[in-house]
Each structure stands twice: as structure tokens, then as C-alpha cells.
């Protein structure tokens, strides 16, 4: 069966460190993968997209990698701040399907002082 | 409006009642999506509209769920004979064009409608 797996346990890190979140998928051939941020009681907010033929994408303190052999994406936040504390969701669009983004369960990040 | 607007933000109803949830997408966005999110889970796809038509309704759990978008803008998600298991946050999202391999398909989400069925 098709699965998108994100670590369900919260990730706790100290301010200033790099946070790394993982998204693994099975039985998918994604055309691209997106990362979203979700704060409690709010809707998800788009952060980054990476296509299947791209290895890495950066935006300010954010970096996403995509390894289609390992079927894994890593999401990095460098120089993390308490304001980065939120749940981070990965979402995949399957090759050959239109418009149906499938989300992982999300990983909660807590950045402490 | 500036963003995707959803009403009501909270709805408490009794088992067996009928519920309507409304979504007002970003002006000019042709694609509209409904997702459902249960506590501790990621958003689960329900239905997608391109313009007025439902292009993909494969995520609707059963025939108690129905959605419309008669003029290609505002959409209403309708749930008949609500059950306790329908309790969740219902998220609406819109995008300029449909997601696809030729464009980013960034989704703009509303804040959601929290439905509680007692």
C-alpha cells in the first residue's frame, strides 16, 4: 500500500541548531514533493516545492533534499528560532495524477531557548 | 478577499443532523480543494474542483458527503446524517491552476471549519 511517513514524535531542539525533519514514502512515484508549515488552529502554509529531477532546493534558512532512490525527502531549518516551532507536513503529487496532493501526518518541531 | 475564507469556524451539531460548510477561495483561483484533518493527522483529500465541476471526488468517504461549486467560486461542502466519526477540521484550499507536473500547484489553505458531532 502507498504510505507517506513522517516521524510522529515531536522534535525538540535548541535555538540556533539545525532542525532536520524526514519524509519517507513507499509505493509512490511522486512528480514533486511540497513542504508546508501548520500552526495550531491554522491552515497549512506552503514553504517549498522540489521536483523529482531536483536534488536540493533552498529558501532563506530552509533547505529541502529529495532522493528518489531512497524515497526520502529531508527538510532542514538552519539557525532555528523559537518562532519556527510548528508542525511541518510533507505532501506528494503522484506522477500521472492531477491535483491530488497527499499529505503525511506531520512532525511537530519545538525550538527552545 | 485576501485569503481563503471558511465559515463557520466552529460548528457543533447533533448526530443525524445536516451540515453545510462554506469556502470562499482567493479571487481568480480556478482550482478548489476540500481536505479533512483529524487530530494528529495530516490533511486527507476529499474533493477537487476545476471551475464548476468536480474533477476528482475520489476522497469523499461515502454518499453522505457532497460538495458543489455552482459558479466556479464559492464552494459548499454538505454532510447529511452526520455521525460522530465526521468530527474533524474541514480545510478548504485554492490554487491559481490545478496542481500538476507543469506548475507548482501551491495550495492556499483557509483556517478550517472545526466540526464536532455530539
Amino acid at each position: 500500500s502507498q504510505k507517506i511517513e513522517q516521524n510522529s514524535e515531536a522534535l525538540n531542539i535548541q535555538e540556533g541548531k539545525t532542525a532536520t525533519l524526514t519524509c519517507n514514502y513507499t509505493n509512490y512515484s511522486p512528480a514533486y514533493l511540497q513542504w508546508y508549515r501548520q500552526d495550531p488552529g491554522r491552515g497549512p502554509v506552503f514553504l517549498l516545492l522540489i521536483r523529482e529531477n531536483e536534488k536540493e532546493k533552498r529558501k532563506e534558512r530552509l533547505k529541502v533534499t529529495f532522493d528518489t532512490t531512497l524515497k526520502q525527502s529531508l527538510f532542514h531549518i538552519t539557525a532555528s528560532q523559537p518562532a519556527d516551532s510548528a508542525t511541518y507536513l510533507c505532501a506528494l503529487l503522484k506522477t500521472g495524477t492531477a491535483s491530488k496532493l497527499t499529505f503525511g501526518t506531520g512532525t511537530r518541531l519545538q525550538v527552545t531557548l | 478577499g485576501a485569503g481563503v475564507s471558511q465559515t463557520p469556524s466552529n460548528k457543533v451539531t447533533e448526530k443525524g443532523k445536516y451540515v453545510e460548510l462554506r469556502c470562499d477561495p482567493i479571487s481568480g483561483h480556478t482550482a478548489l480543494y476540500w481536505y479533512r484533518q483529524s487530530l494528529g493527522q495530516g490533511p486527507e483529500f476529499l474533493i477537487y474542483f476545476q471551475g464548476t465541476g468536480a474533477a476528482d471526488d475520489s476522497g469523499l468517504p461515502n454518499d453522505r458527503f457532497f460538495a458543489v461549486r455552482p459558479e466556479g467560486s464559492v464552494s459548499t461542502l454538505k454532510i447529511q446524517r452526520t455521525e460522530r466519526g465526521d468530527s474533524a477540521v474541514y480545510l478548504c484550499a485554492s490554487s491559481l491552476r490545478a496542481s500538476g507536473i507543469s506548475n507548482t500547484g501551491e495550495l492556499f489553505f483557509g483556517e478550517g471549519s472545526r466540526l464536532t458531532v455530539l
Side-chain angles (χ1 to χ4, degrees):
Chain A
S1 63
Q2 295 173 330
K3 282 185 183 179
I4 302 171
E5 294 180 327
Q6 295 185 256
N7 194 340
S8 59
E9 291 184 14
L11 178 63
N12 294 294
I13 66 165
Q14 199 172 22
E15 182 181 23
K17 302 290 186 186
T18 297
T20 299
L21 286 75
T22 305
C23 177
N24 295 300
Y25 58 92
T26 54
N27 296 323
Y28 271 102
S29 294
Y32 60 65
L33 188 148
Q34 298 181 351
W35 283 88
Y36 286 78
R37 169 184 173 140
Q38 187 172 28
D39 291 284
R42 311 295 296 272
V45 175
F46 173 82
L47 296 174
L48 278 169
L49 172 145
I50 188 164
R51 298 185 187 280
E52 60 177 337
N53 60 351
E54 297 175 320
K55 297 289 187 188
E56 182 179 299
K57 188 72 75 75
R58 291 175 185 261
K59 179 182 175 183
E60 298 172 352
R61 293 185 296 111
L62 308 180
K63 184 178 86 171
V64 172
T65 62
F66 196 8
D67 188 327
T68 54
T69 301
L70 289 179
K71 298 187 182 301
Q72 180 181 79
S73 174
L74 298 179
F75 177 80
H76 306 273
I77 307 175
T78 58
S80 58
Q81 305 165 359
D84 295 327
S85 299
T87 295
Y88 291 85
L89 299 156
C90 70
L92 278 67
L93 182 82
K94 291 195 296 182
T95 303
T97 66
S99 310
K100 187 172 168 180
L101 270 180
T102 304
F103 284 82
T105 55
T107 298
R108 190 164 63 86
L109 172 67
Q110 185 71 42
V111 181
T112 55
L113 294 170
Chain B
V4 176
S5 176
Q6 291 189 246
T7 54
S9 55
N10 275 289
K11 175 72 177 178
V12 180
T13 190
E14 292 179 343
K15 181 175 177 296
K17 300 289 189 184
Y18 170 80
V19 165
E20 287 191 354
L21 306 176
R22 175 189 165 107
C23 173
D24 199 342
I26 292 172
S27 178
H29 281 193
T30 62
L32 184 146
Y33 308 78
W34 284 99
Y35 281 80
R36 177 169 72 173
Q37 187 172 27
S38 301
L39 193 63
Q41 301 297 312
E44 174 193 17
F45 173 84
L46 296 177
I47 186 170
Y48 148 66
F49 287 89
Q50 179 59 46
T52 60
D56 184 345
D57 64 358
S58 61
L60 294 178
N62 50 60
D63 61 6
R64 295 187 297 106
F65 288 74
F66 189 71
V68 296
R69 194 185 185 197
E71 297 178 358
S73 179
V74 171
S75 175
T76 304
L77 178 65
K78 309 180 181 194
I79 310 173
Q80 297 178 320
R81 304 183 305 279
T82 51
E83 299 177 357
R84 292 193 181 88
D86 299 335
S87 297
V89 175
Y90 289 81
L91 292 164
C92 176
S94 68
S95 65
L96 191 59
R97 292 179 297 277
S99 302
I101 59 175
S102 61
N103 62 73
T104 66
E106 171 187 350
L107 297 188
F108 295 84
F109 281 88
E111 304 289 50
S113 292
R114 180 177 297 279
L115 174 65
T116 303
V117 181
L118 301 176

